[in-house]
Structures are given as structure tokens and as C-alpha cells.
Amino acid sequence: MNAEETSGGAVKNHVARADERNVQLPPPPHAPSVDPSTSDTSSTAAQLRADTDAHTGADTDASIDVRSIGQELVGAIDAVVAGHHDVAEIAVATLFARGHLLIEDIPGVGKTLLAQVIARAVGGSFSRIQGTPDLLPGDVTGSMMPVTDARGGTELRFRPGPIFANVVVFDELNRATPRTQSALLEAAEEATVTVDGDAHRLPGPFMLVATQNPIEIAGTYGLGEGSLDRFAAVVSPGRAAPEFELDVLTGRRGRSMLGAIEAITTTARIESIQHEVDRVRVSDAVGRYVVDLLTATRTHPAARLGASTRAGVSLISLARARAALHDRSYVVADDVASLAATSLGHRVMVADSNGSTTAGRDLVAECVATVPAPTA
């Protein structure tokens, strides 16, 4: 599928495109427009959600073709990001499973570009955050700002941060300090931000797509176990094959094609797909297979910390999404096996691995190879 075919039947994205000479995506369209002198601080987050719903409208289609929409999203990613079809499928499954995606690799292999394509193709609002050592938690979540009213009085009102968007691209997450990284824990787990004791709901659907450099790169802070556990999947695209690299160098793919990507669905339809995925059946046999895999990671001689129950829940959610993408209403063992390393690897602590998620994925792959899968 080329970029023209991908964008030909696309829905026009209401978010303005980023200047192609500047890789930074625009901030959330609603957050900067909040007028502190007139806005109701207690309903700021609710208003963001209402604005999104008003734009997309309610999805009245009772039957959602999950496979078709999924293929379009994968095709949009393939049209720009060269040679990483398997990563594109994992990214779409993560979105449909209400998960978050961490892209880990060396600089220059298209990590940020992959995240930007997802943001554009999904529709709705999006924002980009650049991880730096001086980035503060309030720069991400928002903070209380002093506002002077017409009578000269002053009060504090909440100003939403860039996290208030449907798709948030956090570039080079591990260049931010652990204090700032921890600001994402509540947002990633509960789609909520609490500031000064008040909870503010993030617009739905919400997906965090973060990139990080390998830990041996200078100026990085390793992600803690709690931060890593919030990501449903971790992928490492790697370098593209020579034929795909040629496409990038000649402009047939890569950043030069990003401007051709427009939204191919709506946020309301994505939420409907997520509800459809929730209804995909998981048999006891498949459930026991996941339990056996979790147990294998805990008893592996090289494991310092095995996968948790929450990791198993996340794996089941991804398996449901993969089944829906393959037009099935039930999960099979192959759904679990194909996603196990991606979903569990970063949650497994391996002795003498220096925090590398690659070692964890290798350990999980060994467990998949040794744990017998159900045949029925």
C-alpha cells in the first residue's frame, strides 16, 4: 500500500499538521486555548472530553469492522515507516487493547516517526513532549497557575499540560529524570491526572507512545520497574533492510511522506473497537497457558524478578486485540505466544542485564519455547 492509497479514503484530520521542517508535533489544541480568567477549573478536563466528543460524534454503527480498520492503520504506518510491518501490527494491537507503547532503539531508526504516524492516523488530538533533564512533572501534567480576576483578586486555577491529548508522543522518555517519569504513572494506569488534590480525566481514548534510547547512551536515566510496567508492549524496530533504507533515502518513505498521512478513523470509533476487543473470549485452557508462562518467567534460573499478574492481564488484553485484528471472536494460543516476549519482556528483571529489556525478551522467548501450548 502506498501513501496515496492510504490517505485517499482518509477522514480529514481536524488537528493541523506539524511543519515538516520542524519535527515537533503541535501541542494539544485545547490546552493552550484555555482562558484562565474565564474557565471553570473544576471542569477543565471534562470540557476537553466534551470538545472531542462534539467533534467526532457518537458512533452509532452497531457493527465495527475491527479487522478492516486495523489493516488501514497498519497500512498507514507501513507507508511511512520502512520495513517494520510486525512493529506496526503490535502498535495497532496496543491501541485497540487500551495499552501504551514503548519504542526502544538506537537514535536514527525511526522511533519518533513511528509514534508520529500513529498519532496522525488515529485522529483526535495529539501532542509531543521532548524528554530533557530539566523537564518538570508540571510541564507534563499541567499545574496550578495564578489568575487575576476583574476585581484585582488572585486565585490558582488549573492549566492542563500536554498530557491532555488522545495520543501523546513522549520522545526520549529516559532523558527525563525519574521524578518526571513518575508523573506518567497515574496517567498511564488510570487516564487521570491529580493536581493539588483534584483529579482531571484525560480525553479518551488515550494512548502514550514513548521512545527511549538504550541505557548505554549518554545522558539517560533508566526507567524504573513501575514505569516500565505501565507499557503494554515494548518494541525495538532495528535498522531497516537495504531495500527499505533505499526507499527512505529516495523519499518514497520516511519523514517526507508523513504529511500525506491523515486520520483514517475517529476517536469515537476507536473507543467502540476497544469495547469490541473486551468481548473477545478467552478459554480456561488459554488462561492456564498464560499462567504457565508467568510461572516459567518466575522460576527461570536467570530471572531476578518474574512477570507479575498484572503483566498477565496485559498480555491477555493484547492477545484479545490480535484475535480481533484476525477477525476472530476468541483467543488462541498463537495470539499469546506471538506477543509474549513483547508484552512480558520488559517486566522481567534478568540478572546481570544492566536493565536491558532485550535480555528480558530473550528470557520470555525461552519460556515460550519450553511451555507446552494448548492444542484445543
Side-chain angles (χ1 to χ4, degrees):
M1 179 182 296
N2 58 37
E4 289 76 14
E5 293 173 337
T6 302
S7 61
V11 180
K12 183 66 178 176
N13 191 349
H14 72 286
V15 181
R17 293 196 184 100
D19 186 348
E20 294 302 307
R21 295 168 296 180
N22 184 352
V23 300
Q24 289 228 354
L25 293 177
H30 305 304
S33 64
V34 175
D35 185 351
S37 64
T38 60
S39 64
D40 181 0
T41 58
S42 64
S43 60
T44 300
Q47 185 61 47
L48 291 176
R49 292 173 61 85
D51 290 346
T52 300
D53 293 342
H55 174 80
T56 58
D59 193 343
T60 57
D61 188 0
S63 59
I64 303 295
D65 190 347
V66 178
R67 181 179 184 179
S68 176
I69 295 176
Q71 287 177 339
E72 288 188 67
L73 289 172
V74 171
I77 297 172
D78 284 341
V80 177
V81 183
H84 298 302
H85 181 76
D86 54 340
V87 174
E89 289 187 332
I90 291 172
V92 173
T94 302
L95 170 65
F96 288 176
R98 295 191 183 89
H100 308 292
L101 181 67
L102 179 63
I103 308 171
E104 179 186 51
D105 217 321
I106 60 176
V109 296
K111 301 188 303 295
T112 304
L113 184 61
L114 173 61
Q116 289 174 326
V117 176
I118 295 171
R120 290 191 176 221
V122 165
S125 58
F126 62 90
S127 65
R128 179 181 182 272
I129 306 168
Q130 176 62 51
T132 58
D134 60 349
L135 187 71
L136 298 176
D139 298 331
V140 176
T141 62
S143 57
M144 304 299 292
M145 302 291 291
V147 176
T148 303
D149 58 29
R151 293 176 294 180
T154 302
E155 64 177 339
L156 294 176
R157 294 186 181 179
F158 178 64
R159 173 65 64 91
I163 197 70
F164 283 84
N166 295 117
V167 179
V168 177
V169 176
F170 202 129
D171 199 19
E172 296 187 302
L173 174 59
N174 61 341
R175 290 199 184 277
T177 63
R179 179 186 177 193
T180 301
Q181 294 172 13
S182 66
L184 296 175
L185 297 180
E186 182 186 12
E189 182 69 18
E190 304 174 21
T192 301
V193 168
T194 300
V195 177
D196 200 30
D198 293 326
H200 304 269
R201 187 75 177 170
L202 298 178
F206 171 70
M207 183 182 186
L208 173 64
V209 182
T211 72
Q212 75 165 356
N213 295 311
I215 58 173
E216 61 269 16
I217 298 294
T220 59
Y221 300 85
L223 298 181
E225 289 84 351
S227 297
L228 283 171
D229 200 37
R230 265 51 178 193
F231 291 96
V234 175
V235 295
S236 298
R239 299 190 187 278
E243 60 270 23
F244 294 115
E245 196 166 21
L246 176 62
D247 287 343
V248 174
L249 296 178
T250 56
R252 291 191 293 270
R253 296 194 191 189
R255 188 165 300 281
S256 62
M257 299 302 298
L258 184 61
I261 300 299
E262 298 177 344
I264 62 178
T265 185
T266 65
T267 54
R269 188 167 288 268
I270 292 295
E271 289 189 307
S272 296
I273 288 174
Q274 291 172 342
H275 289 303
E276 288 290 323
V277 168
D278 289 340
R279 290 193 282 268
V280 174
R281 299 191 305 275
V282 179
S283 67
D284 286 350
V286 171
R288 282 191 293 270
Y289 178 48
V290 173
V291 171
D292 290 343
L293 286 175
L294 297 178
T295 302
T297 66
R298 298 163 188 164
T299 58
H300 193 286
R304 186 163 54 88
L305 178 66
S308 66
T309 302
R310 179 162 60 180
V313 172
S314 180
L315 175 56
I316 287 291
S317 297
L318 280 178
R320 280 191 166 111
R322 185 179 187 272
L325 286 170
H326 287 77
D327 205 21
R328 281 186 276 105
S329 61
Y330 55 90
V331 174
V332 298
D334 185 62
D335 296 324
V336 174
S338 63
L339 292 167
T342 296
S343 180
L344 303 181
H346 58 291
R347 295 176 162 106
V348 175
M349 300 294 107
V350 180
D352 301 324
S353 65
N354 295 322
S356 170
T357 62
T358 302
R361 289 197 292 269
D362 291 342
L363 185 149
V364 173
E366 290 181 24
C367 295
V368 171
T370 57
V371 173
T375 56

